[in-house]
Amino acid sequence: DIRLDAGGGEIEFKDDGTLIGHVSMANQDITLKSAVDQKDIILQGIDGTATVNALTLDMSDSGTAIFSHDVKLPDNGVAHFGAGSDMQIYSDDSDGYIKQGKGALRIATASSGVAVKIGHTTSETTINDNFTVVGQSNFAAITTSSTALVANLNADKLDGQSGAYYRINVYNSGGTLLN
C-alpha cells in the first residue's frame, strides 16, 4: 500500500523538476489538474489487450470531453445542454424526449440543400400540435389512419398566395373541411 497524506492538501507530480500535474484536496474536494499549457488529461484502460483512451479532456479546446465510445445514461437520466439546462434529452424506457426550455428547437443541417429526415421509411410521424410550413414544401401525401387526404401538395403554389405562410385547407372525402 502507498498512502499519500498531504497535510496541506496538495500533491504535485514533477518530471525533472517541471510541474506536470497537480492534485488538490482543498475543502475536501479532489481537483485533478494538468499543469502544462494545453496538455490533456487522459483516462486509460485495457480492453482485451489493447490500451483504450476511454476519456480525453482536451485542454487545448477548453476541456472538451472526448469519449472513445458511447455515453450511456439510465432511464430518466437526462443530458442537459445550456447554462440553464435549456435543452434536455432523455428516455423513460417507453419514449424518447427532446425538450427545449426556451427559444425554438431547431433541427437543421450544417449547410443548405441537405435533407433532414424524420422517421423510417415505414414509420408513422405524428404532429400533436400546430404545423407551419415556411418556404417551399412538397408532400407526397397527408394521411389520417391509412387514407390519403391530399396528394402531391406544393405549398408554394396554393391559391396564388405569396409571403412566408400559406393556409392549407384539408377536406375529407365527403368535402367537409377538417379543422
Side-chain angles (χ1 to χ4, degrees), residues 79-154:
H80 296 265
F81 299 88
S85 294
D86 303 329
M87 189 177 87
Q88 303 171 1
I89 300 176
Y90 66 96
S91 172
D92 67 3
D93 192 37
S94 296
D95 298 306
Y97 297 88
I98 301 174
K99 290 186 174 184
Q100 179 66 18
K102 61 183 178 183
L105 173 63
R106 298 174 186 258
I107 300 174
T109 58
S111 60
S112 179
V114 179
V116 174
K117 296 181 180 184
I118 300 174
H120 187 271
T121 57
T122 58
S123 297
E124 176 181 306
T125 302
T126 302
I127 299 170
N128 290 326
D129 290 315
N130 300 319
F131 179 69
T132 303
V133 176
V134 178
Q136 182 173 346
S137 297
N138 295 305
F139 300 90
I142 298 176
T143 62
T144 180
S145 298
S146 61
T147 306
L149 297 177
V150 178
N152 299 321
L153 177 64
N154 184 322

Side-chain angles (χ1 to χ4, degrees), residues 14-103:
K14 294 184 176 185
D15 184 14
D16 288 332
T18 302
L19 182 64
I20 303 297
H22 179 258
V23 176
S24 172
M25 296 169 282
N27 299 318
Q28 296 184 332
D29 293 325
I30 295 179
T31 303
L32 176 63
K33 178 181 177 182
S34 173
V36 179
D37 184 38
Q38 298 193 11
K39 289 298 185 178
D40 301 338
I41 296 174
I42 302 169
L43 180 63
Q44 292 185 335
I46 303 293
D47 184 1
T49 59
T51 299
V52 175
N53 287 352
L55 171 62
T56 300
L57 300 176
D58 185 349
M59 296 302 120
S60 66
D61 192 27
S62 299
T64 295
I66 303 166
F67 295 86
S68 68
H69 204 269
D70 300 339
V71 175
K72 295 183 180 183
L73 298 175
D75 289 336
N76 296 308
V78 181
H80 296 265
F81 299 88
S85 294
D86 303 329
M87 189 177 87
Q88 303 171 1
I89 300 176
Y90 66 96
S91 172
D92 67 3
D93 192 37
S94 296
D95 298 306
Y97 297 88
I98 301 174
K99 290 186 174 184
Q100 179 66 18
K102 61 183 178 183

